[in-house]
C-alpha cells in the first residue's frame, strides 16, 4: 500500500504495488543549527543488504537515529513500507552501537536478548517461557548458546556484539538497522556477523548497516549508500561504488587510499 | 490520609489490643525504627535505578531542592490562600516534587547548552535552587519547622510525637464558645505597645478575649478536661503513614514497570525505538525520588537521606549481577542497616556488642577519659550502620569483594606460574640441552626467579603429580604432559595459536 503525502501529489507513473522498505524524504537533522545530515532523500527497495558508508562525521549514525525517531528531526518525513514509524515499529529491528550501553549492567545474556521481544509484549506483560525459547533460538543462531546465563560484562567485545545481534533477531523484523556492528571485533566475529546478515537477507529481510571499512564494502553489500552529510549516491554496489563517487564522498582523503578498494569495487 | 490511617488501625486492632498498639506507637524507638526502615526501603529501591543510570548524586541535588518546593508551597498556602501551613500537607508534597523535577530539568537544560559538563550542570543547578530556598526561609518563614538542624539530620527521634488521633468510642467533639462554661478569658491591653505605656497607665484600654475558645477534637477535648468519659483513642505518628504510603508507591512502581525500567535503564535507545517512553519513566522516577526525599525530610534531613539512596544499592551491586536480586538485596541492606542503626545510636552494635565497652577498652589502653555513655544522633547512626554493611559487602562479596578478588588473583598467579614452568619443561625435555635447561638447582636462573619461589613451584608441581625429578633434572609425567596440552587448548585457543604436536 502506497500512501501519498497529502501535500505532494503522487509522482506519475509510480507503480502502486511496488513499495520501498524505507523511504526518506527531505530529512534534515541539525545539532545547534549545524546540519548533521542535510536534505536526505533515500529509497531502499525491499530485500537489499545495504552498506551506509562515509567519512567520520558524515552523519551515518545520525541518519539511523533520525529515521528511527530517536533524535528530533529538523525537517523531513520517513516511512516504512508506506507507514510512519509509529505504525511500523514491529517491522523494524535496531542494533545500536555496542558502546552505547553499560555492559556492567546487572543482567544476563539471555535477558538482553529477551529485551528484543519487549516491543511485542508491550507495556506490563512479562516475558515467559515462549520468550525464553525464542531468545535461546536466536542465541543458537549467533553461536552464543553456551553463554546464556553469563553476566554480560564477562563477554568479549565480539560476543557482546553477537548478543546484540541476537536481540535484533528475536524481534523478527522486516527491516534491520545496524550501527557499526563490525566496530572493534576480530576477524572471526566479523565473518560470523556477515554470515548472519546474509542469512537474514536471504530470508527477504532488508538490512541497513553503518560500515567503516571500504575494503569489504563490495564483498559484503549488494546495495550501498555513500553519505557525507548529504547522500552522494545510492544504488546497487556495482553501479554506485565507483572511484568517482568515493572521491566525492571522501574528498581528498580517498587519494591516500590504495587503488585496491576501487579496483575491488569495480570488480564487485 | 486520615481514612487510610483509620483503616490500617482497624486492621491492626484485629491482632493486638488498643492498649498494646498505643504503647507500641508511643515508644520513640519503635516509631524511629519503623520510619527509618521505610525510608531505607523506598530509598534503596529507587537508588538501584539511580545507581545504574549513573545519577546517584541527582538524589543529593533533589533532596536539597525539595526545600525550595516546600517553602514556595508553604508561602503560597499561608500568604496567598490563607491556609494553615503544615509540613505534611499534600500541597507541600506537590511543591516538593515539582521542585525535584525542576532540578532535573534545569540540570539537563544547562548540560544541553553544551557549555558545561554534566556533573558541573548538577553542581550549578541545585545550590542555586537551594540558596533561593534558604533565603526565602530566613526572610519569610518564621515558624521554625524548617531550621538548619532539621535540614542537616532531621528529627527521627521525635517522629513518635507528631501524631493524628483517631477516636473509636465515646467520641465527643467540643466547641468552646465564649458562652461555654469552660471558656477562659484574659484581659489584654490593646494600645500598650503602640503607646509604649505600662498596663497600669490610665490611658490603657483593655479588652477581654477568650483564650481557649475553638474546636476540640475528642483527643484534645479529653486532655483539656472538657469530657467526662475518656474517649477510646489511638495516636498514629504521621511519619509512619507518609513513609508507608511512599514505600508502597515506590514498590508498586518498581513491580509494575520492572521490565520497562530495566530496558530503559540499560538501553534507552532501544526502549524508545520499541515504543516505550523512557523520558516519561525517567521523570516518574525523579518524581518518586523527590517524594521520598520530602517524606524523609522531617525524619533524617536532606543530607543524610542521600545515604539511604546511594549506599544500599552500591552494596547490593557488589553482591549480585542480576537486577531483580539487586532490587531485593538493596532494600534489605537498607532496612537492616536502619534497624541496627537505631541500636547503634543507643550504644549497641548489632545488639550484642556494647559501644560503651569498646570505649572503656580504648580508655584503658590509651589512658583516655572519653565519656563511656553513648547516645548519639539516630539518623547519623543509621547511615553509619548502612555503611558498615556496605563495607562488609565490599570486603566479603563472593564475586566482587576485596577478599575473594585477592584470593582469586593469588590463585591465578599460582596457576600461571605452574604453567610457565610446565611449558618450559615440555619445550626442553627432549632437546640435547635438557640437562642444562632443566637442572632443578639452576632452573630459577632461567626464569630470573628467586630460588625460593622456584622451589615452591616445583614442590607444588610434584605434589600434583605433574613432574618428577630424575638425576637432578625435571621431567613431565604423563599427567603433566596432558596438563600442558589442556592449558594450551583452553587458554590460547582464542588467539588462534595451533596446538602442540
Amino acid at each position: 500500500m502506497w500512501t501519498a503525502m497529502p501535500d505532494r501529489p503522487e509522482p506519475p507513473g509510480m507503480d502502486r504495488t511496488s513499495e520501498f522498505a524505507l523511504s526518506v524524504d527531505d530529512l534534515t537533522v541539525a545539532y545547534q543549527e549545524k546540519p548533521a545530515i542535510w536534505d536526505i532523500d533515500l529509497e531502499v527497495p525491499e530485500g537489499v543488504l545495504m552498506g551506509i558508508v562515509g567519512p567520520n562525521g558524515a552523519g551515518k549514525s545520525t541518519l539511523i537515529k533520525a529515521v528511527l525517531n530517536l533524535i528530533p528531526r529538523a525537517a523531513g518525513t520517513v516511512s516504512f513500507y508506506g507507514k510512519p514509524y509509529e505504525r511500523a515499529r514491529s517491522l523494524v529491528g535496531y542494533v545500536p552501537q555496542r558502546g552505547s550501553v553499560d555492559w556492567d549492567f546487572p543482567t544476563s545474556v539471555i535477558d538482553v536478548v529477551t529485551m528484543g521481544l519487549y516491543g511485542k509484549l508491550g507495556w506490563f506483560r512479562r516475558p515467559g517461557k515462549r520468550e525464553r525459547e525464542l531468545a535461546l533460538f536466536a542465541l543458537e543462531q549467533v553461536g552464543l548458546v553456551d553463554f546464556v546465563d553469563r553476566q554480560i560484562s564477562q563477554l568479549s567485545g565480539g560476543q557482546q556484539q553477537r548478543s546484540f545481534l541476537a536481540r535484533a533477531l528475536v524481534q523478527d523484523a522486516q527491516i534491520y538497522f545496524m550501527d557499526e556492528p563490525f566496530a572493534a571485533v576480530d576477524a572471526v566475529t566479523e565473518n560470523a556477523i556477515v554470515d548472519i546478515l546474509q542469512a537474514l537477507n536471504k530470508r527477504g529481510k532488508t538490512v541497513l548497516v553503518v560500515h567503516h571499512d571500504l575494503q569489504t564494502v563490495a564483498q559484503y553489500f549488494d546495495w550501498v549508500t555513500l553519505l557525507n552529510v548529504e547522500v552522494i549516491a545510492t544504488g546497487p554496489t556495482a553501479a554506485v561504488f565507483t572511484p568517482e563517487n568515493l572521491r566525492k564522498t571522501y574528498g581528498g582523503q580517498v587519494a591516500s587510499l590504495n587503488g585496491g578498494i576501487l579496483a575491488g569495487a569495480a570488480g564487485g | 490520609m486520615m481514612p487510610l490511617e483509620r483503616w490500617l488501625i482497624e486492621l491492626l486492632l484485629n491482632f493486638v489490643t488498643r492498649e498494646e498498639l498505643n504503647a507500641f506507637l508511643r515508644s520513640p524507638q519503635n516509631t524511629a525504627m519503623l520510619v527509618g526502615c521505610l525510608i531505607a526501603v523506598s530509598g534503596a529501591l529507587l537508588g538501584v535505578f539511580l545507581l545504574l543510570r549513573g545519577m546517584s548524586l541527582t538524589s543529593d541535588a533533589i533532596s536539597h531542592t525539595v526545600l525550595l518546593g516546600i517553602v514556595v508551597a508553604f508561602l503560597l498556602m499561608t500568604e496567598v490562600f490563607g491556609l494553615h501551613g503544615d509540613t505534611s500537607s499534600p500541597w507541600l508534597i506537590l511543591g516538593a516534587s515539582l521542585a525535584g523535577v525542576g532540578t532535573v530539568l534545569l540540570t539537563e537544560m544547562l548540560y544541553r547548552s553544551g557549555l558545561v559538563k554534566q556533573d558541573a550542570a548538577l553542581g550549578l543547578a541545585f545550590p542555586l535552587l537551594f540558596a533561593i530556598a534558604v533565603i526565602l526561609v530566613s526572610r519569610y518563614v518564621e515558624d521554625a519547622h524548617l531550621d538548619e538542624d532539621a535540614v542537616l539530620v532531621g528529627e527521627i527521634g521525635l517522629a513518635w510525637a507528631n501524631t493524628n488521633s483517631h477516636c473509636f468510642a465515646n467520641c465527643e467533639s467540643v466547641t468552646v464558645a465564649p458562652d461555654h462554661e469552660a471558656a477562659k478569658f484574659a484581659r489584654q491591653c490593646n494600645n500598650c505597645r503602640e503607646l509604649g505605656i505600662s498596663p497600669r497607665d490610665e490611658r490603657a484600654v483593655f479588652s477581654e478575649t477568650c483564650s481557649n475558645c475553638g474546636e476540640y477534637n475528642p483527643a484534645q477535648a479529653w486532655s483539656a478536661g472538657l469530657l467526662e468519659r475518656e474517649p477510646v483513642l489511638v495516636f498514629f505518628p504521621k511519619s509512619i503513614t507518609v513513609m508507608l504510603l511512599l514505600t508502597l508507591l515506590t514498590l508498586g512502581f518498581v513491580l509494575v514497570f520492572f521490565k520497562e525500567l530495566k530496558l530503559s535503564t540499560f538501553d534507552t535507545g532501544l526502549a524508545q525505538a520499541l515504543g516505550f517512553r523512557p523520558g516519561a519513566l525517567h521523570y516518574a522516577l525523579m518524581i518518586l525520588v523527590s517524594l521520598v526525599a520530602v517524606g524523609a525530610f522531617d525524619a533524617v534531613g536532606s543530607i543524610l537521606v542521600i545515604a539511604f539512596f546511594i549506599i544500599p544499592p552500591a552494596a547490593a551491586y557488589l553482591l549480585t549481577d542480576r537486577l531483580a536480586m539487586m532490587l531485593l538485596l538493596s532494600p534489605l541492606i537498607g532496612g537492616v542497616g536502619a534497624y541496627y542503626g537505631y541500636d547503634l545510636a543507643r550504644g549497641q552494635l548489632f545488639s550484642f556488642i556494647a559501644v560503651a565497652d569498646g570505649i572503656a577498652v580504648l580508655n584503658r589502653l590509651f589512658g583516655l577519659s572519653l565519656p563511656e555513655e553513648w547516645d548519639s544522633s539516630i539518623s547519623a547512626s543509621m547511615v553509619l550502620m548502612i555503611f558498615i554493611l556496605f563495607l562488609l559487602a565490599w570486603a566479603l562479596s563472593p564475586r566482587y569483594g576485596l577478599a575473594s578478588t585477592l584470593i582469586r588473583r593469588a590463585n591465578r598467579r599460582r596457576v600461571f606460574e605452574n604453567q610457565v614452568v610446565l611449558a618450559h619443561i615440555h619445550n626442553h625435555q627432549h632437546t640435547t640441552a635438557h640437562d642444562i635447561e632443566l637442572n632443578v638447582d639452576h632452573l630459577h636462573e632461567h626464569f630470573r626467579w628467586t630460588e625460593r619461589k622456584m622451589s615452591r613451584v616445583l614442590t607444588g608441581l610434584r605434589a600434583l603429580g605433574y613432574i618428577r625429578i630424575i638425576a637432578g633434572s625435571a621431567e613431565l609425567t604423563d599427567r603433566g604432559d596432558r596438563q600442558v596440552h589442556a592449558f594450551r587448548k583452553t587458554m590460547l585457543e582464542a588467539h588462534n595459536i595451533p596446538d602442540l604436536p
Side-chain angles (χ1 to χ4, degrees):
Chain A
M1 164 194 64
W2 173 266
T3 50
M5 306 296 154
D7 57 338
R8 150 195 293 256
E10 215 176 290
M14 170 65 73
D15 182 359
R16 277 173 168 276
T17 55
S18 92
E19 59 190 31
F20 290 105
L22 170 70
S23 333
V24 178
D25 236 344
D26 304 333
L27 181 64
T28 293
V29 173
Y31 295 120
Q32 279 153 14
E33 281 72 56
K34 186 178 170 292
I37 50 174
W38 184 254
D39 198 28
I40 302 284
D41 286 306
L42 192 61
E43 274 162 345
V44 181
E46 194 169 359
V48 300
L49 176 50
M50 185 175 95
I52 301 173
V53 179
N56 288 332
K60 302 182 294 286
S61 293
T62 304
L63 173 61
I64 286 193
K65 286 182 186 152
V67 162
L68 297 179
N69 249 352
L70 296 178
I71 50 174
R73 305 167 183 163
T77 51
V78 173
S79 62
F80 300 82
Y81 300 92
K83 287 182 265 190
Y85 181 63
E86 287 66 32
R87 288 199 286 127
R89 276 187 216 282
S90 62
L91 304 175
V92 180
Y94 171 48
V95 181
Q97 285 185 20
R98 179 158 55 85
S100 68
V101 304
D102 172 16
W103 289 93
D104 285 327
F105 192 87
T107 193
S108 61
V109 174
I110 187 145
D111 206 30
V112 168
V113 176
T114 312
M115 286 179 191
L117 294 162
Y118 284 9
K120 288 219 169 67
L121 286 168
W123 289 86
F124 311 122
R125 260 177 60 212
R126 296 287 168 84
K129 210 172 152 199
R130 205 182 93 82
E131 281 71 28
R132 189 181 160 84
E133 271 163 22
L134 288 170
L136 280 174
F137 182 65
L139 280 168
E140 223 167 273
Q141 286 172 283
V142 300
L144 279 184
V145 86
D146 294 335
F147 297 87
V148 169
D149 289 317
R150 217 37 106 75
Q151 152 70 16
I152 52 173
S153 63
Q154 293 166 9
L155 299 180
S156 70
Q159 289 164 341
Q160 289 175 349
Q161 190 64 59
R162 279 195 255 177
S163 68
F164 257 19
L165 214 54
R167 190 178 72 174
L169 291 181
V170 292
Q171 281 184 262
D172 194 28
Q174 288 303 310
I175 177 166
Y176 285 96
F177 293 84
M178 308 200 177
D179 203 345
E180 302 207 22
F182 302 117
V185 299
D186 59 25
V188 180
T189 307
E190 178 153 344
N191 287 335
I193 295 174
V194 169
D195 287 345
I196 294 164
L197 298 189
Q198 287 175 346
L200 275 175
N201 189 227
K202 275 213 186 76
R203 282 162 49 202
K205 312 283 186 183
T206 311
V207 185
L208 282 74
V209 181
V210 170
H211 192 54
H212 252 308
D213 182 9
L214 291 177
Q215 314 263 3
T216 49
V217 168
Q219 187 192 336
Y220 291 171
F221 304 109
D222 60 4
W223 205 268
V224 74
T225 293
L226 293 168
L227 186 76
N228 191 354
V229 184
E230 299 176 288
V231 172
I232 307 297
T234 180
T237 310
V240 166
F241 200 62
T242 61
E244 172 66 22
N245 280 337
L246 277 174
R247 212 164 286 125
K248 278 196 217 156
T249 312
Y250 285 84
Q253 297 167 47
V254 82
S256 59
L257 294 167
N258 69 46
I261 305 160
L262 303 176
Chain B
M1 237 160 58
M2 293 286 282
L4 185 95
E5 272 174 16
R6 205 177 168 87
W7 176 82
L8 189 65
I9 292 167
E10 275 164 7
L11 185 77
L12 289 171
L13 287 179
N14 294 331
F15 305 101
V16 294
T17 66
R18 188 185 64 91
E19 287 75 15
E20 284 167 343
L21 185 60
N22 266 337
F24 180 87
L25 294 173
R26 289 200 82 82
S27 136
Q29 167 166 6
N30 292 334
T31 304
M33 277 184 169
L34 206 54
V35 171
C37 287
L38 289 171
I39 293 172
V41 168
S42 47
L45 278 171
L46 296 170
V48 166
F49 292 102
L50 295 178
L51 178 91
L52 294 174
R53 286 161 178 249
M55 30 188 329
S56 289
L57 280 180
T58 305
S59 63
D60 185 8
I62 287 179
S63 71
H64 283 81
T65 53
V66 290
L67 185 62
L68 179 63
I70 294 175
V71 174
V72 170
F74 186 86
L75 289 175
L76 279 179
M77 272 175 73
T78 52
E79 306 292 323
V80 182
F81 298 107
L83 299 166
H84 174 66
D86 175 1
T87 39
S88 58
S89 146
W91 292 108
L92 295 200
I93 290 170
L94 182 74
S97 56
L98 286 180
V101 171
T103 312
V104 176
L105 281 173
L106 184 63
T107 306
E108 283 172 5
M109 206 182 76
L110 282 167
Y111 173 60
R112 289 220 181 105
S113 74
L115 302 176
V116 287
K117 298 215 161 120
Q118 192 142 25
D119 55 341
L122 194 67
L124 282 166
F126 95 78
L128 168 73
L129 300 179
F130 187 62
I132 297 173
V134 168
I135 289 170
L136 288 178
V137 170
S138 60
R139 189 72 190 77
Y140 295 111
V141 185
E142 279 159 28
D143 173 20
H145 207 80
L146 299 168
D147 58 53
E148 290 85 355
D149 226 26
V151 171
L152 272 177
V153 296
E155 298 166 320
I156 196 168
L158 299 178
W160 66 276
N162 186 12
T163 57
N164 286 325
S165 64
H166 296 268
C167 181
F168 289 86
N170 303 341
C171 302
E172 217 179 310
S173 298
V174 178
T175 306
V176 177
D179 57 352
H180 194 276
E181 56 186 22
K184 288 185 185 128
F185 295 93
R187 238 158 64 100
Q188 205 180 1
C189 173
N190 288 344
N191 57 354
C192 290
R193 180 177 292 192
E194 197 182 314
L195 299 175
I197 54 174
S198 93
R200 291 175 186 215
D201 195 289
E202 57 190 17
R203 284 170 294 167
V205 177
F206 294 93
S207 63
E208 286 217 317
T209 52
C210 174
S211 60
N212 62 346
C213 289
E215 301 274 337
Y216 288 74
N217 69 26
Q220 291 161 335
W222 172 250
S223 70
L226 300 172
L227 299 179
E228 280 164 23
R229 285 183 309 168
E230 182 178 357
V232 177
L233 295 166
V234 172
F235 294 91
F236 203 84
K238 291 178 190 169
S239 306
I240 293 183
T241 323
V242 172
M243 283 320 301
L244 192 65
L245 265 178
L246 288 173
T247 306
L248 291 176
L249 192 65
T250 305
L251 197 65
F253 177 73
V254 170
L255 285 177
V256 169
F257 294 105
F258 175 72
K259 177 179 109 231
E260 290 76 12
L261 282 168
K262 178 162 74 177
L263 177 62
S264 65
T265 302
F266 175 63
D267 192 341
T268 318
L270 186 71
Q272 199 173 341
L274 292 180
F276 296 104
R277 301 181 166 278
L281 281 172
H282 177 72
Y283 282 105
L285 200 61
M286 293 304 123
I287 287 175
L288 276 173
V289 170
S290 313
L291 288 176
V292 172
V294 188
F297 184 84
D298 277 349
V300 298
S302 66
I303 295 182
L304 290 177
V305 70
I306 311 156
F308 292 86
F309 281 107
I310 298 181
I311 306 176
Y317 189 63
L318 294 173
L319 294 173
T320 176
D321 43 28
R322 293 291 179 272
L323 179 61
M325 195 55 169
M326 203 174 153
L327 284 168
L328 198 73
L329 287 176
S330 178
L332 190 71
I333 291 166
V336 169
Y339 184 85
Y340 285 110
Y342 186 91
D343 280 355
L344 184 63
R346 294 288 169 259
Q348 289 284 324
L349 191 57
F350 289 119
S351 23
F352 58 84
I353 306 168
V355 177
D357 295 349
I359 298 174
V361 169
L362 280 182
N363 280 344
R364 263 204 308 285
L365 277 179
F366 302 105
L368 305 171
S369 50
L370 301 168
E372 288 178 15
E373 301 99 86
W374 186 265
D375 187 29
S376 62
S377 158
I378 297 166
S379 49
S381 301
M382 286 181 171
V383 170
L384 191 61
M385 185 48 81
I386 298 175
F387 188 78
I388 290 174
L389 295 180
F390 169 80
L391 272 185
L392 287 176
W394 182 71
L396 303 176
S397 156
R399 200 167 299 179
Y400 305 111
L402 193 63
S404 65
T405 307
L406 288 177
I407 293 169
R408 210 165 36 236
R409 210 175 288 162
N411 264 335
R412 253 203 313 258
R413 197 169 49 228
R414 217 190 56 235
V415 168
F416 183 76
E417 285 165 1
N418 285 351
Q419 293 301 337
V420 170
V421 173
L422 284 179
H424 178 81
I425 299 172
H426 181 275
N427 289 345
H428 292 285
Q429 65 180 353
H430 299 301
T431 62
T432 47
H434 76 95
D435 49 339
I436 303 166
E437 290 284 346
L438 301 180
N439 186 313
V440 286
D441 295 329
H442 298 286
L443 206 50
H444 67 274
E445 291 162 15
H446 298 285
F447 283 73
R448 294 176 191 268
W449 286 1
T450 62
E451 218 172 326
R452 234 179 86 215
K453 181 173 173 184
M454 182 53 82
S455 83
R456 176 170 55 83
V457 173
L458 288 176
T459 310
L461 287 173
R462 281 177 72 185
L464 287 165
Y466 289 158
I467 60 167
R468 57 180 163 253
I469 290 166
I470 293 168
S473 173
E475 92 180 39
L476 292 184
T477 60
D478 288 345
R479 217 172 119 86
D481 198 59
R482 279 198 301 277
Q483 177 66 23
V484 171
H485 283 89
F487 179 76
R488 263 193 99 84
K489 213 172 170 106
T490 54
M491 295 296 286
L492 304 180
E493 202 173 40
H495 303 286
N496 292 326
I497 290 174
D499 200 9
L500 294 166

